[in-house]
Amino acid sequence: MPTLIEPKLISGNANLPLATAIAKRMSLYRGMTVGLVNARVERFNDQEIFVEVYENVRGEDMFILQSTSNPANDNLMELLIMADALRRSSAARITAVIPYFGYARQDRRTKARTPITAKLVANMIAEAGIERVLTMDLHATQIQGFFDIPVDNLYASPVFALDILNQFKDMSDVMVVSPDVGGVARARELAKRINAPLSIVDKRREKAGEIAEMTVIGDVTGKRCIIVDDICDTAGTLCKAAEVLIENGASEVHSYITHGVLSGPAVERITNSVMKSLVITDSINAPEAVRNAPNIRIVPTAPMFAQAILNIWNGTSVSSLFETETLGPIYEGIL
């Protein structure tokens, strides 16, 4: 398939360090400088968002780098307004690279008179002129079907598998744990990659933010447990699950979470918890408190996103990045 002209990256304010890292990795892969398009994304005095692109983008293959993390509404509007600016500037194709897709937790109607916000956001993205979405570890895989445009959903599990095999030299006593029944498929995928057994923490929730009861399904006695999940918000469930695992005989508890939202008392809870370590990705720009926490570690996603962007631009397979064999050389010397 013939390629379009050179890929061009533009970033909002949500995660500039990740955007810069992706540009550097693409420069390394291509042997030529790939920079961020010169633009300004600012606020009027009443906090309306203003976007101005200083470079010609007519006929260009544009990639907007923007997580819709906290503040979710501001970052989402930045994404939509940047897309509109590029569309009206005659960009040939606009791809939204959304490492963390916000509003994904509202993916179905669990009660009467509630919205399906993930579908609403999908409609807004398509209407803004975005033609493709690249994201990572959607909260629910069916959200891909909410879009009428192509969606490439990357997975953190191959990167986590590489990191675990590097950090845990002896895998004989390692067990992967899903913190709830809904996350079993995600935990099973990682367990297969590292050839480890699987356990489940069954939780009964009375209402949002409160855990009434937790039960461990499986024998974790003497095991080094690795809790796997896609989102950690206030860390209440995660820290409670770690305590329950220790109470049931686990020797250590570690956690691998894709998106470290870590709002409210999360960092303090994690620092004071029985968890030996929490590993998150840089899909969300980590504040200083997270970076300085003694038992929180951040693994980079820029190598994977840079390669995925190049594959989309080239018209080659993105699903090849699901394999550890493909990501291994990309992450060599990083993890």
Side-chain angles (χ1 to χ4, degrees), residues 164-223:
I164 290 168
L165 293 172
N166 185 48
Q167 296 290 325
F168 297 77
K169 305 301 183 184
D170 179 13
M171 300 294 294
S172 61
D173 61 346
V174 170
M175 175 174 275
V176 175
V177 179
S178 173
D180 53 43
V181 175
V184 169
R186 183 181 298 106
R188 185 187 296 120
E189 171 68 19
L190 180 62
K192 285 182 179 178
R193 290 181 181 275
I194 63 174
N195 195 27
L198 176 65
S199 180
I200 304 167
V201 175
D202 179 37
K203 65 183 178 184
R204 308 285 174 89
R205 192 192 297 267
E206 295 295 329
K207 61 181 180 179
E210 292 184 8
I211 306 300
E213 181 184 351
M214 280 188 166
T215 306
V216 178
I217 303 173
D219 184 11
V220 298
T221 305
K223 299 290 187 180

Side-chain angles (χ1 to χ4, degrees), residues 43-277:
R43 302 286 189 278
F44 288 117
N45 288 335
D46 63 355
Q47 298 306 301
E48 283 185 9
I49 295 166
F50 174 76
V51 172
E52 183 177 5
V53 181
Y54 292 123
E55 297 180 25
N56 179 28
V57 296
R58 183 180 298 274
E60 300 284 5
D61 192 6
M62 299 299 303
F63 293 84
I64 305 174
L65 310 175
Q66 178 82 335
S67 283
T68 52
S69 51
N70 184 35
N73 300 330
D74 285 4
N75 289 331
L76 176 60
M77 283 305 299
E78 281 189 11
L79 171 64
L80 299 176
I81 293 171
M82 282 190 292
D84 187 72
L86 295 174
R87 179 171 60 87
R88 295 177 187 276
S89 302
S90 302
R93 182 174 68 171
I94 303 171
T95 300
V97 182
I98 312 174
Y100 172 67
F101 184 82
Y103 283 112
R105 284 176 280 185
Q106 300 177 61
D107 64 317
R108 64 194 185 279
R109 293 189 69 192
T110 56
K111 297 178 182 178
R113 298 174 296 279
T114 57
I116 304 179
T117 321
K119 172 60 176 170
L120 174 63
V121 171
N123 290 344
M124 292 166 66
I125 286 173
E127 284 296 318
I130 291 166
E131 298 170 55
R132 177 182 290 270
V133 170
L134 174 63
T135 186
M136 183 174 65
D137 273 354
L138 281 170
H139 184 62
T141 54
Q142 69 264 22
I143 292 173
Q144 290 176 283
F146 293 177
F147 288 86
D148 293 324
I149 56 176
V151 177
D152 293 305
N153 184 31
L154 299 176
Y155 298 99
S157 59
V159 180
F160 285 164
L162 289 171
D163 188 78
I164 290 168
L165 293 172
N166 185 48
Q167 296 290 325
F168 297 77
K169 305 301 183 184
D170 179 13
M171 300 294 294
S172 61
D173 61 346
V174 170
M175 175 174 275
V176 175
V177 179
S178 173
D180 53 43
V181 175
V184 169
R186 183 181 298 106
R188 185 187 296 120
E189 171 68 19
L190 180 62
K192 285 182 179 178
R193 290 181 181 275
I194 63 174
N195 195 27
L198 176 65
S199 180
I200 304 167
V201 175
D202 179 37
K203 65 183 178 184
R204 308 285 174 89
R205 192 192 297 267
E206 295 295 329
K207 61 181 180 179
E210 292 184 8
I211 306 300
E213 181 184 351
M214 280 188 166
T215 306
V216 178
I217 303 173
D219 184 11
V220 298
T221 305
K223 299 290 187 180
R224 288 185 292 169
C225 292
I226 299 176
I227 301 174
V228 182
D229 209 352
D230 63 324
I231 296 173
C232 177
D233 192 346
T234 60
T237 300
L238 186 66
C239 293
K240 178 64 176 175
E243 291 174 12
V244 171
L245 289 169
I246 293 293
E247 289 169 4
N248 279 262
S251 61
E252 295 178 3
V253 178
H254 304 263
S255 295
Y256 278 75
I257 310 293
T258 306
H259 307 297
V261 177
L262 302 180
S263 58
V267 175
E268 183 181 355
R269 282 176 175 170
I270 292 164
T271 302
N272 298 327
S273 74
V274 297
M275 273 189 300
K276 290 201 69 175
S277 68

